[in-house]
Amino acid sequence: MKKTIILTTVVLIAGVAGFWLGTGYRPSEESGAEREVAYWRAPMNPDEIYDRPGKSAMGMDLVPVYADELADSAAPTTRRAFTQRMNVRTTKAGRMDLSRTIRTVGEVAYDEERLHAISSKISGWIEVLNVNYVGDQVRAGDPLAELYAPDLVATQNEFLLALKNVEVLREVNSASVRSDAEQLLDAARDRLVFWDVQQADIDRLASTGQVRRTIELIAPASGVVVNHNVLSGSFVDAGVTLLEIADLRQVWVHVSVFDHELSWIRVGQESRMTLSYQPGREYLGRVSYIYPFLRDEARDAHVRLVFDNPNLELVPGMYVNVELDGETVADVLAVPISAVLRSGTRDVAFVAHGDGRFEPRTVRLGAEGGPGNEFVQVLSGIEEGEWIVISGQFMLSSESRLQEALESMAPDSVIGHNH
């Protein structure tokens, strides 16, 4: 009889428990009173809400949501167990010196300030050509070509005649006659100088009286011939470019950067360059010019760098990898970029208050940089020393929005009715 009574009691307790689980009734832990069901929701869709138990649109049993649960999890906080399941991690907002490393690609080009065009200032024929192909290396002062010019021969003869007249008229008492002779001599000498006849050649002409048929074209600088537009024996007009020489001991590198990175770049700052086919080799240069416009093709900013090239290892046309260390912004409040959720209209970070409570804050951001370019300056919204969530924010954001929506719903505003 005693065993029968015990078995009957267990069955009744199990039945009552089953009834509670099926209907949503829960005894209060403190007073034993029935817990109040705020509304019912679909188990697979928290936004599908009803005012009574039943089936969801997918045919599943509705899940009760209790009023005391809403009170315990009021927005903008979330439950500690939830944060543990989502592996939420935090870090402290602190101050740091913020800098940015800009990585980009570039192309080696000629230093346009070291390009030299070779042309004749007098028409004539090329009788001797000492440079025969593109890529030929020359040194400053080397004779590149000899040009026969009839006008040059005639002017030399005029110079000799004017020089002879000055010597003959030196004993004449008329000052005006001597002045006219000297003016003719000076005019002939000036024409020779304007045609780039060297002063040594003019002195030799005056001392020997021997007229040269040709004039030498001299290399103005050391470098490599990059343009060759003349043949031996050809006639050339005055002013036509015959050769171009580039001094490759210094080269330019043109790089592209995003417009928002321009604030980190200054003329004169150091740059580092590497080549894919020379691993481990690093070249040091500097920023020489920042172009004041964006390029039309990619809408990017154009920056020019200068690199020394004493061994001529850097060849125009090479593609290179470049790093620029931007200027350091000292002592700014910064957090990891991963701590910020960007919606397009505002930036949000979650501040941890302990005990599983988190507060979403709208923040105003500044420059990005720091180690690995993984930090961002905070201008407002977060104070130094506050703990900031750096992982799991997306789940926190979803939970926060859901709690705000649920809290705003009164029984009169339940959107679903289960019949």
Side-chain angles (χ1 to χ4, degrees):
M1 183 65 178
K2 184 177 181 180
K3 291 182 179 180
T4 302
I5 293 174
I6 293 174
L7 179 60
T8 303
T9 303
V10 171
V11 171
L12 289 175
I13 292 174
V16 172
F19 173 78
W20 287 345
L21 293 174
T23 61
Y25 173 79
R26 299 290 189 277
S28 172
E29 295 178 0
E30 298 180 356
S31 62
E34 180 181 356
R35 298 174 68 190
E36 179 184 357
V37 178
Y39 52 86
W40 300 75
R41 66 174 178 85
M44 301 300 293
N45 183 9
D47 294 332
E48 186 181 340
I49 297 174
Y50 299 89
D51 58 354
R52 65 191 65 182
K55 299 290 186 179
S56 69
M58 299 178 62
M60 304 177 68
D61 291 335
L62 298 179
V63 177
V65 177
Y66 300 101
D68 56 354
E69 289 180 348
L70 294 178
D72 292 340
S73 57
T77 62
T78 187
R79 298 179 305 277
R80 182 187 304 174
F82 174 83
T83 61
Q84 292 175 349
R85 290 196 304 270
M86 294 302 105
N87 191 28
V88 173
R89 294 186 296 113
T90 60
T91 189
K92 185 181 292 187
R95 308 193 75 85
M96 64 184 302
D97 292 341
L98 196 67
S99 62
R100 182 176 179 85
T101 300
I102 300 171
R103 296 178 176 85
T104 183
V105 295
E107 182 179 359
V108 179
Y110 298 110
D111 184 340
E112 295 178 8
E113 296 177 346
R114 294 171 176 253
L115 281 175
H116 304 274
I118 310 301
S119 61
S120 173
K121 296 179 180 179
I122 186 172
S123 300
W125 286 263
I126 299 294
E127 286 200 349
V128 178
L129 184 62
N130 298 321
V131 178
N132 298 307
Y133 53 87
V134 172
D136 202 356
Q137 296 190 17
V138 299
R139 294 182 179 180
D142 287 349
L144 303 177
E146 291 186 18
L147 179 75
Y148 164 64
D151 291 342
L152 174 64
V153 175
T155 301
Q156 291 180 87
N157 287 324
E158 292 177 6
F159 174 81
L160 292 176
L161 181 59
L163 180 62
K164 184 177 181 179
N165 287 339
V166 169
E167 293 176 353
V168 170
L169 297 174
R170 185 170 296 167
E171 303 299 330
V172 176
N173 293 329
S174 175
S176 62
V177 173
R178 293 197 304 270
S179 177
D180 290 343
E182 291 174 354
Q183 289 180 6
L184 290 175
L185 178 62
D186 291 339
R189 180 185 289 108
D190 289 343
R191 284 201 299 273
L192 295 175
V193 172
F194 294 156
W195 286 335
D196 290 338
V197 177
Q198 303 297 313
Q199 184 61 46
D201 293 333
I202 296 176
D203 294 340
R204 180 195 53 77
L205 175 64
S207 62
T208 64
Q210 295 180 355
V211 175
R212 291 192 58 176
R213 296 180 64 256
T214 61
I215 182 174
E216 286 185 334
L217 301 180
I218 304 300
S222 300
V224 178
V225 176
V226 296
N227 188 14
H228 192 282
N229 193 33
V230 63
L231 297 175
S232 180
S234 60
F235 177 82
V236 296
D237 289 319
V240 174
T241 299
L242 309 178
L243 303 167
E244 288 185 12
I245 297 174
D247 184 355
L248 296 180
R249 290 173 297 180
Q250 182 172 286
V251 294
W252 287 354
V253 174
H254 297 285
V255 300
S256 300
V257 299
F258 295 111
D259 51 1
H260 68 268
E261 295 175 325
L262 282 175
S263 60
W264 294 97
I265 301 176
R266 295 290 184 272
V267 173
Q269 76 183 66
E270 186 180 274
S271 59
R272 299 184 302 275
M273 181 176 66
T274 58
L275 309 178
S276 59
Y277 41 86
Q278 288 187 359
R281 177 70 183 276
E282 187 175 77
Y283 299 83
L284 298 180
R286 59 182 174 82
V287 176
S288 64
Y289 188 70
I290 302 172
Y291 290 82
F293 53 80
L294 297 183
R295 293 194 278 200
D296 293 335
E297 294 82 1
R299 307 301 299 166
D300 55 359
H302 182 194
V303 178
R304 188 177 74 209
L305 314 176
V306 173
F307 288 85
D308 291 331
N309 187 31
N311 299 323
L312 307 185
E313 296 175 335
L314 302 176
V315 179
M318 283 181 170
Y319 290 104
V320 297
N321 300 312
V322 175
E323 289 187 358
L324 296 166
D325 289 330
E327 292 188 337
T328 300
V329 182
D331 194 32
V332 299
L333 180 63
V335 298
I337 295 177
S338 60
V340 181
L341 295 178
R342 304 173 188 260
S343 66
T345 57
R346 65 171 184 160
D347 300 320
V348 177
F350 279 85
V351 178
H353 292 296
D355 295 330
R357 297 179 301 115
F358 299 89
E359 176 189 356
R361 296 257 191 94
T362 299
V363 294
R364 190 163 62 93
L365 304 177
E368 296 181 2
N373 294 337
E374 295 179 352
F375 290 80
V376 61
Q377 179 183 5
V378 178
L379 302 177
S380 65
I382 295 175
E383 299 296 331
E384 180 180 359
E386 290 186 308
W387 288 90
I388 310 301
V389 177
I390 59 174
S391 70
Q393 304 96 309
F394 291 101
M395 297 304 298
L396 290 178
S397 179
S398 301
E399 180 77 2
S400 238
R401 287 196 295 269
L402 176 60
Q403 294 296 342
E404 289 174 358
L406 298 181
E407 193 179 48
S408 65
M409 290 182 181
D412 292 339
S413 63
V414 175
I415 61 175
H417 298 277
N418 201 352
H419 298 288

